[in-house]
Every structure is written in C-alpha cells, then in structure tokens.
Amino acid sequence: MSELSVVIVGGLHADARKAAVRRLLSDVPDSVVLHHDLATARAGTVVRTIRDAVGVIDAGEAPLVNDCACCALREDLVPELRRLAEAGGTRLAVVELWDSVEPKAMAEVVTAGGLTVTGVITAVDPALVLPCLGNGDDLAECGLAAAATDQRTVADTFARQLEYAPVLAVAHSPEADDEDRELLAQLHPTARQIPIEDGHPSDPAGLWPTARSPLARSPLARAALAGFDVEAAAAAQHPACALLPAEADAHGVSTLVWHRRRPFHPERLYDALEGITCAAARSRGRFWLADRPDTLLHWDAAGGALCVESAGPWLASLPDAAWEMVPPVHRAAAALDWHAEHGDCCQHLVFTSPGLDRDGLERLLDSCLLTDTEYAAGRAAWKRLPPAFDTLLEV
C-alpha cells in the first residue's frame, strides 16, 4: 500500500470550505477529494463522491448505520481511503466533511484505521463567525442533523469545528470588518490563518510544483501536508488541560480570563447561569462547585446555551499512586494551577465577545463564589449545600 496523506477540511461555512478544497486540488499534484453528502440520509443512504481537479472520478452510496448518517460516513471513509492507497497514484486525499460533521471524530477514525492524517483545516468566512456563534438553533431545525438523535446546535458545532483545527483557511469576505477578524483571532489565537486565495497560477515566486519539486508549496498545501498529532489535538480540547485563550481587547472584541481559587456556591451560580451564559458569544473552561469539591466540571457555552459536564476528578483528589495513570499533559496543566491548599481545584473560565461588559461579568461571577463565612465552614459543610446542578449533570 503506497503512502497516502490525508487532510481533513471541515466547517459550517460551505462556500469557504469548497473554495479551500478547490485550492488544494489545484495546488497539490495527484490529489483527490472525498465527500460524503449526508443531506440524502433521510432517503436511507449517504452519497459518496471522489473527484479530482477535473471532475468526478467515482461515486457511490453507503447505507445508513444505526439510522445515523455520521456512522455511515465512519464505516465508509476508511475503506475508501485504503482503496485509494492500495491503488497508488494519489498523493493527497482531501476529506471534505459535510457541513455539521466535526473534524475531531473523523481525524480519530482515519488515524485509528491505520492511515496518516497530515492536516486538519477548518474553512471560515470571518463575516459569518458571530452569526454562527449566536445561532442557538438545533441542527435539526436547519436540516443539518447527522442523526435522528442529534441534539447539537449550530453554535456549539461551529465552535468545536473552529477550535479543534490548528489551521484556519480564511475566505476573502468583503462583508467582514476588523471586529469580525479580531473575533476570529481571539477565539482561536494559536491557529495559523491562511487566506484561501494565497497563490496564483502565474506563480511569480516560483513556488508551484515542478518536475524537481513534486509537492506544491503554497501555504495551504504546506499546511495540508505538515503533519497532525491526533492525541495532542484531543488534549488541547480536554477541559482539564485545554489551551484556553489569553486576555485580549482590540477592535471592540474582548477576552476575559476569570481565574479564582474559591469554589462556587451551587445555588447562586445556578441562579446566575442565564446572565453569565448570555454575557459572551463564547465561553469555556473548567470550574469548581463547593458541593462537588472533588469533581472537575467542564463549562462550554455558545449561542446562549450552556453545556456542563463532569470531566473526572481534580488531580488533588487522587491518591499519589493514581497520578501515573494521568496523561503528562494533564499533570503539567495541573502543576501550572497548583495551590498549596487546594491543589489544581480552581475556576478557570474564558469569555470572548464583541462588546463584552468585563466589569459587570466579573462582579456577577465573583458574587457566585462562597462567602468568607461559607468558605471557612470547610468541605464537610460545602458538601451539604443544595445540589442545584443535579439536573444539568443528569445525576
């Protein structure tokens, strides 16, 4: 089986995604694109096409698996990629994801199938970032659900697509202004942004493929072939060790990093959830509830909707012998947050939005912490506080 590089290109901004795919097909010799159209799932099948820069070279259908279009994609994608690798002649397989498919799952499926993912790219139109983050509609309402049980929203799906990819292919958008571009930069400050239009067939700089240089050297093509670490990407999203944005304030967009050592009072936080969640276009991080002092909780909000989940124990609550089973990146993140009294238990929430009321939001968050008297009562008393989050955590 010949060496085949796989790049995953996703994103809800379909026009930007298609433009990025066209750019890659144009820039990388011997490349093809695989696309599974999940819009036909209601009819019981998923339509697969394989095309090169000239046009469609193969098409077929994959049956639904467990009434789930995304499951059908998973089952069909790896065999098709293996077939391409075995046939030879293909240098790069571009996996163009359907609108609402998230790149993390597909990157892990391809890697688990023994293939090499060399890049993950999310295509973005800067003018559509804020509208997508503010869209709390269910995917099903927009015809974008990948399964009958798909309960994701447009906002949270877009946020995960954006934040997982180390590379953003950015479409030229006349409607985008400085605020739109700044919002994109603050939401994912570590991403490499590459204009989709970079490069031109006239190749004045001599960067295009030649007989001596078989690989395209345009920025987007280089990113597609640069290499990708699935485990590192997953760790960067895990709430215990996520690389969250830093403080920022420019062009009307702000990022507030709120870091505190004291736990939340569960009832006061629960009563303030609407105000906190709606204060920013995007917020995420980890937090600490007094009545669950050993549990690291994940905060994930977009489009005015909040998801709260348990992410396992704080390291401080584990016996020393269990630390060896914790990934090194998690231990390193905990060390950065370590406190002599509470270990890694803390509040670390990040809020990003145009027009963010930083002072008001900080006051609201601070008001939800334990008071001096409540804090002094100790952990045994904290655990007796009303468990206001049981419903959200499905306990």
Side-chain angles (χ1 to χ4, degrees):
M1 188 163 65
S2 65
E3 184 66 26
L4 176 70
S5 295
V6 180
V7 60
I8 293 171
V9 181
L12 275 167
H13 301 167
D15 290 343
R17 188 184 70 238
K18 293 179 187 302
V21 169
R22 287 195 300 270
R23 181 80 268 168
L24 287 171
L25 286 179
S26 171
D27 288 357
V28 183
D30 303 320
S31 60
V32 299
V33 56
L34 288 82
H35 178 62
H36 288 77
D37 189 341
L38 308 191
T40 58
R42 290 186 178 182
T45 59
V46 171
V47 175
R48 176 211 328 115
T49 57
I50 302 176
R51 66 184 191 279
D52 58 17
V54 177
V56 175
I57 55 179
D58 188 42
E61 293 185 348
L64 287 193
V65 176
N66 300 323
D67 198 31
C68 170
C70 239
C71 301
L73 191 165
R74 291 189 186 96
E75 293 289 324
D76 191 64
L77 179 59
V78 169
E80 286 300 314
L81 289 171
R82 284 185 169 278
R83 185 177 63 79
L84 283 172
E86 290 165 359
T90 300
R91 175 68 183 89
L92 177 68
V94 182
V95 176
E96 182 195 349
L97 301 180
W98 191 66
D99 301 53
S100 68
V101 177
E102 296 179 25
K104 180 178 185 293
M106 291 305 111
E108 291 173 353
V109 163
V110 172
T111 301
L115 294 145
T116 303
V117 175
T118 56
V120 173
I121 298 169
T122 293
V124 183
D125 180 337
L128 298 178
V129 171
L130 186 57
C132 276
L133 278 182
N135 190 340
D137 291 346
D138 292 339
L139 291 175
E141 297 174 28
C142 307
L144 296 175
T149 56
D150 194 342
Q151 296 182 335
R152 295 174 297 154
T153 68
V154 172
D156 63 43
T157 301
F158 173 71
R160 283 191 292 270
Q161 290 176 337
L162 179 73
E163 293 156 12
Y164 179 76
V167 176
L168 302 179
V170 183
H172 173 66
S173 179
E175 294 80 17
D177 57 19
D178 288 343
E179 180 181 283
D180 295 323
R181 288 182 281 270
E182 182 64 26
L183 177 59
L184 182 60
Q186 290 189 30
L187 286 168
H188 195 350
T190 62
R192 181 186 176 196
Q193 292 192 27
I194 300 176
I196 293 171
E197 292 76 15
D198 258 10
H200 190 278
S202 63
D203 187 22
L207 298 178
W208 299 94
T210 66
R212 294 182 180 180
S213 177
L215 299 183
R217 294 179 184 157
S218 71
L220 197 61
R222 286 200 299 269
L225 296 162
F228 183 76
D229 188 329
V230 170
E231 289 186 7
Q237 300 301 307
H238 192 282
C241 45
L243 187 61
L244 298 170
E247 287 270 344
D249 192 357
H251 299 294
V253 181
S254 297
T255 293
L256 167 68
V257 178
W258 187 76
H259 198 281
R260 299 289 188 272
R261 292 292 178 185
R262 191 169 291 196
F264 279 124
H265 186 286
E267 279 192 320
R268 286 201 295 276
L269 177 61
Y270 188 85
D271 290 342
L273 284 182
E274 183 176 355
I276 297 171
T277 302
C278 295
R282 176 71 172 137
S283 56
R284 49 193 146 146
R286 50 190 176 269
F287 70 104
W288 187 28
L289 282 178
D291 65 319
R292 301 169 182 271
D294 297 327
T295 304
L296 190 160
L297 295 165
H298 182 205
W299 177 288
D300 188 73
L306 170 67
C307 176
V308 171
E309 295 178 315
S310 168
W314 296 100
L315 289 197
S317 69
L318 295 176
D320 292 347
W323 280 47
E324 292 302 318
M325 296 182 287
V326 176
V329 67
H330 187 171
R331 295 200 300 269
L336 291 174
D337 270 339
W338 202 260
H339 182 269
E341 185 178 358
H342 302 304
D344 57 331
C345 303
C346 66
Q347 318 292 359
H348 189 172
L349 298 176
V350 176
F351 301 82
T352 299
S353 188
L356 188 69
D357 179 5
R358 302 169 67 99
D359 292 341
L361 180 54
E362 283 198 85
R363 284 194 299 271
L364 179 58
L365 288 162
D366 285 341
S367 73
C368 298
L369 296 172
L370 293 186
T371 64
D372 290 346
T373 302
E374 291 164 344
Y375 180 75
R379 288 196 171 211
W382 300 353
K383 290 181 179 180
R384 293 194 296 270
L385 291 170
F389 277 74
D390 279 4
T391 302
L392 277 179
L393 292 167
E394 297 181 351
V395 174

